[in-house]
C-alpha cells in the first residue's frame, strides 16, 4: 500500500509524459520516413537486375523439355513483357502507393474476418435449427392445416357467404315464393330501382367530394415531402462535405502521432511491399507459362503460404521457390519438383549489402518505437490509476 501511495504522490504527471511521447513521435517521424524511402529506393534500383538474375537461374536450371516449348519470337516477346511489368511496378514501390495498398490489405483482412464470423454463426444456427426440428418430431407433435378436421366437408358450404338461399330444405319453399312475389310486383320494383338510383347518385357525389379531399391532402403531403427531401439533401451534402474535410485533414497527415501507430505503419509498409513483389512474381510466372519456358503455373495461395512460412523452399536459390508435389507416377520418386519465381525482400537483402544496412537502420528505429510503446502503456496505466484514486476511490472510514 505504501508503494502505491508513493506512486500516486510522484511529481511526474502522466498526461505530461504522454504529451512528451507524442512530441517525440513528431520529431522521429521524419527520420522514419527517410529510412523507409531510402530502403524503397534501393529496392527500385536493384529490382531489375534481381529479376534478370533469378530468371536466368530459373530457366537454365531446367533446360530440358520445357525450353523446347518456346520459340525465338515468344522469347523476344517475353523479354519485352518482363521489361514492361518491371517498369510499371517500380513506379508503384513508393511510400504513398504502399500506404494505399496497406489500407486495401486491412480492408481485405476485415472482410475475411467478418465472413468467417458469419460462417460460424450460420453453422451454429443451422445446427440449432436441426436440433429443434428433431426434437419436435414425434407422436405428440401438432399438425396445423387450413382444412378443418371434419368427416363431412359438405356442411362447410356457405361459411364464406356464397349461399343466398336457406340451408334447410323446410325453409326452401317460402323463400322461393317470396322471391316470386317480389318479382311479380312491378311498382315495387320501379320504386326500389328509383331509390337505388338516388342512393347511387348520393354515393357518387360523396365519393367525388372525398376524392377531392384526398387530392388536397395528397398535394399537402407532397409539398411536405419535397421540403423534407430538400432539407435531407442539404443535410446529406453538408455531412458529405464535413466527412470529405475530415478525410482530407487525415490524409494530409501521412504518419501517425503515437508510438503504436508509427510501429504499425512501418509493419504495414513491409506487408504492402511483400504483396507488391508477390503480385509481380505471379505476373512474371504467367508470362513464363505463355512463352513456353515453363509448363506449370503456381497459384497465388501457394506463394502466400511460402511468404507466411507455411511452405519452405527445398533449394537455397534466392528469389526462387522450389517444392515437390506428390504424384502417382512410379518414375517420379519423391514427387514432382516445381520451380517458380518468388521475389521477397529477405532474399534481396541477402544479395545486396546496401539493403542489409538500410534494414539495420529500420530495425533500430523499430526497437526505439517498441521502447516508446512500453512507456506509453505505462503512463496510460498511471493516468487511469490516478483517475480512479481521485474520482472513484472512497474512504470507507468516513461512511
Amino acid at each position: 500500500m505504501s508503494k502505491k501511495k508513493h506512486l500516486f504522490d510522484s511529481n511526474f504527471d502522466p498526461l505530461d509524459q504522454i504529451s512528451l511521447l507524442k512530441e517525440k513521435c513528431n520529431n522521429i517521424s521524419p527520420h522514419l520516413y527517410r529510412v523507409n524511402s531510402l530502403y524503397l529506393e534501393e529496392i527500385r534500383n536493384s529490382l531489375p537486375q534481381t529479376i534478370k538474375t533469378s530468371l536466368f537461374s530459373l530457366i537454365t536450371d531446367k533446360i530440358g523439355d520445357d525450353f523446347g516449348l518456346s520459340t525465338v519470337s515468344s522469347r523476344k516477346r517475353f523479354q519485352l513483357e518482363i521489361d514492361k511489368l518491371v517498369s510499371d511496378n517500380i513506379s508503384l514501390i513508393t511510400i504513398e502507393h504502399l500506404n494505399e495498398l496497406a489500407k486495401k490489405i486491412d480492408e481485405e483482412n476485415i472482410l475475411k474476418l467478418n465472413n468467417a464470423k458469419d460462417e460460424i454463426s450460420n453453422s451454429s444456427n443451422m445446427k440449432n435449427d436441426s436440433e429443434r426440428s428433431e426434437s419436435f418430431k414425434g407422436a405428440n407433435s401438432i399438425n396445423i392445416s387450413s382444412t378443418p378436421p371434419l368427416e363431412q366437408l359438405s356442411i362447410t358450404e356457405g361459411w364464406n357467404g356464397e349461399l343466398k338461399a336457406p340451408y334447410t330444405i323446410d325453409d326452401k319453399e317460402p323463400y322461393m315464393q317470396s322471391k316470386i312475389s317480389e318479382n311479380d310486383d312491378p311498382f315495387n320494383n320501379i320504386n326500389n330501382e328509383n331509390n337505388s338510383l338516388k342512393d347511387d347518385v348520393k354515393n357518387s357525389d360523396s365519393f367525388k367530394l372525398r376524392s377531392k379531399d384526398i387530392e388536397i391532402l395528397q398535394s399537402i403531403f407532397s409539398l411536405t415531402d419535397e421540403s423534407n427531401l430538400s432539407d435531407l439533401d442539404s443535410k446529406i451534402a453538408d455531412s458529405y462535405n464535413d466527412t470529405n474535410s475530415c478525410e482530407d485533414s487525415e490524409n494530409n497527415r501521412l504518419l501517425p502521432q503515437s508510438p503504436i501507430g508509427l510501429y504499425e505503419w512501418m509493419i504495414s509498409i513491409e506487408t504492402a511491399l511483400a504483396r507488391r513483389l508477390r503480385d509481380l512474381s505471379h505476373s512474371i510466372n504467367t508470362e513464363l507459362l505463355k512463352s513456353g519456358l515453363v509448363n506449370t503455373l503456381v497459384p497465388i495461395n501457394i506463394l502466400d503460404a511460402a511468404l507466411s512460412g507455411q511452405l519452405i523452399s527445398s533449394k537455397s536459390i534466392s528469389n526462387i521457390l522450389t517444392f515437390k508435389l506428390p504424384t502417382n507416377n512410379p518414375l517420379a520418386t519423391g514427387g514432382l519438383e516445381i520451380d517458380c519465381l518468388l521475389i521477397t525482400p529477405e532474399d534481396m537483402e541477402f544479395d545486396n549489402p546496401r539493403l542489409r544496412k538500410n534494414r539495420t537502420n529500420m530495425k533500430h528505429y523499430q526497437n526505439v518505437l517498441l521502447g516508446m510503446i512500453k512507456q506509453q502503456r505505462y503512463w496510460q496505466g498511471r493516468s487511469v490509476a490516478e483517475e480512479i484514486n481521485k474520482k472513484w476511490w472512497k474512504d470507507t472510514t468516513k461512511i
Side-chain angles (χ1 to χ4, degrees):
M1 188 69 183
S2 61
K3 291 182 180 179
K4 292 183 179 179
K5 186 176 181 181
H6 177 71
L7 184 64
F8 293 140
D9 294 338
S10 178
N11 295 325
F12 296 103
D13 188 6
L15 298 179
D16 293 339
Q17 297 298 321
I18 292 173
S19 62
L20 289 174
L21 282 174
K22 185 177 180 180
E23 184 179 356
K24 189 176 180 180
C25 289
N26 293 329
N27 294 331
I28 202 176
S29 294
H31 300 283
L32 296 177
Y33 189 90
R34 183 174 179 274
V35 168
N36 283 275
S37 62
L38 289 175
Y39 179 78
L40 295 177
E41 183 180 359
E42 189 61 34
I43 289 284
R44 293 193 298 270
N45 294 332
S46 60
L47 185 60
Q49 186 61 37
T50 299
I51 292 175
K52 290 179 181 179
T53 305
S54 301
L55 287 176
F56 180 78
S57 301
L58 181 63
I59 293 172
T60 56
D61 188 27
K62 289 186 177 181
I63 198 168
D65 297 334
D66 296 340
F67 190 76
L69 296 175
S70 65
T71 59
V72 177
S73 60
S74 66
R75 289 194 290 271
K76 288 182 179 179
R77 186 186 62 81
F78 170 73
Q79 292 177 2
L80 295 176
E81 290 294 332
I82 295 302
D83 292 337
K84 185 177 182 300
L85 284 173
V86 173
S87 62
D88 292 341
N89 282 272
I90 281 177
S91 62
L92 298 177
I93 303 178
T94 59
I95 292 180
E96 290 77 13
H97 288 93
L98 293 179
N99 273 329
E100 295 296 328
L101 182 58
K103 292 179 182 178
K104 293 180 181 179
I105 293 172
D106 291 337
E107 292 176 356
E108 291 177 0
N109 293 331
I110 293 171
L111 182 61
K112 290 179 181 178
L113 182 62
N114 292 331
N115 291 332
K117 290 180 179 178
D118 293 337
E119 289 179 359
I120 293 172
S121 62
N122 291 331
S123 62
S124 62
N125 291 331
M126 291 175 64
K127 184 177 179 181
N128 293 330
D129 293 339
S130 63
E131 290 178 355
R132 289 176 182 175
S133 62
E134 289 178 358
S135 63
F136 280 121
K137 289 179 181 179
N140 295 325
S141 61
I142 299 173
N143 294 324
I144 299 176
S145 176
S146 60
T147 305
L150 299 175
E151 294 181 356
Q152 296 180 0
L153 296 177
S154 60
I155 63 175
T156 60
E157 296 179 357
W159 285 11
N160 296 325
E162 65 270 12
L163 292 179
K164 296 182 180 180
Y167 181 75
T168 59
I169 299 174
D170 298 333
D171 297 331
K172 185 175 180 181
E173 293 180 358
Y175 175 78
M176 295 298 295
Q177 291 177 0
S178 63
K179 294 296 289 181
I180 292 170
S181 63
E182 288 177 359
N183 292 327
D184 292 337
D185 194 356
F187 296 102
N188 292 330
N189 292 332
I190 293 170
N191 293 327
N192 291 330
E193 288 177 359
N194 292 328
N195 293 328
S196 63
L197 288 173
K198 290 180 181 180
D199 294 332
D200 292 335
V201 171
K202 290 181 181 180
N203 291 329
S204 62
D205 293 336
S206 62
F207 179 76
K208 289 180 181 179
L209 291 174
R210 289 178 182 176
S211 62
K212 290 181 180 179
D213 295 336
I214 291 171
E215 290 177 357
I216 294 170
L217 290 174
Q218 287 179 351
S219 62
I220 292 172
F221 282 117
S222 63
L223 292 174
T224 55
D225 289 337
E226 290 176 357
S227 63
N228 291 330
L229 287 173
S230 61
D231 294 337
L232 183 60
D233 292 334
S234 62
K235 290 179 181 178
I236 292 173
D238 294 336
S239 63
Y240 181 74
N241 294 326
D242 293 336
T243 54
N244 285 334
S245 62
C246 294
E247 289 178 357
D248 292 335
S249 63
E250 289 178 0
N251 291 327
N252 290 330
R253 182 172 58 82
L254 183 62
L255 297 181
Q257 293 181 340
S258 64
I260 298 176
L262 288 174
Y263 183 79
E264 292 178 351
W265 175 79
M266 294 187 71
I267 297 300
S268 66
I269 292 294
E270 295 179 3
T271 305
L273 177 61
R275 172 68 69 87
R276 186 74 70 191
L277 295 178
R278 184 213 69 177
D279 294 340
L280 177 60
S281 302
H282 182 68
S283 301
I284 294 175
N285 290 328
T286 305
E287 293 299 328
L288 284 170
L289 182 65
K290 289 180 180 179
S291 62
L293 295 173
V294 296
N295 56 4
T296 55
L297 180 62
V298 179
I300 292 181
N301 55 359
I302 299 295
L303 302 181
D304 290 334
L307 290 175
S308 61
Q310 299 177 2
L311 181 64
I312 300 175
S313 179
S314 59
K315 293 184 180 180
S316 59
I317 303 175
S318 298
N319 301 306
I320 293 178
L321 176 63
T322 304
F323 60 96
K324 292 184 178 181
L325 289 178
T327 58
N328 294 326
N329 189 2
L331 299 177
T333 59
L336 179 63
E337 192 176 71
I338 295 177
D339 298 328
C340 66
L341 184 71
L342 180 59
I343 305 168
T344 60
E346 291 80 8
D347 290 343
M348 294 182 68
E349 292 169 7
F350 182 79
D351 298 331
N352 193 337
R354 293 181 180 177
L355 284 176
R356 290 199 299 270
K357 184 178 180 180
N358 290 328
R359 171 60 66 181
T360 303
N361 295 331
M362 292 170 65
K363 287 290 184 182
H364 169 70
Y365 282 106
Q366 286 181 359
N367 293 329
V368 172
L369 289 174
L370 288 175
M372 294 172 64
I373 289 171
K374 292 181 180 178
Q375 293 177 359
Q376 182 183 9
R377 290 174 177 172
Y378 170 76
W379 290 114
Q380 286 177 350
R382 280 282 305 274
S383 176
V384 174
E386 288 190 358
E387 182 180 0
I388 293 173
N389 186 38
K390 290 179 180 179
K391 296 182 179 180
W392 294 354
W393 191 264
K394 295 181 180 180
D395 191 359
T396 57
T397 59
K398 296 181 180 180
I399 297 177

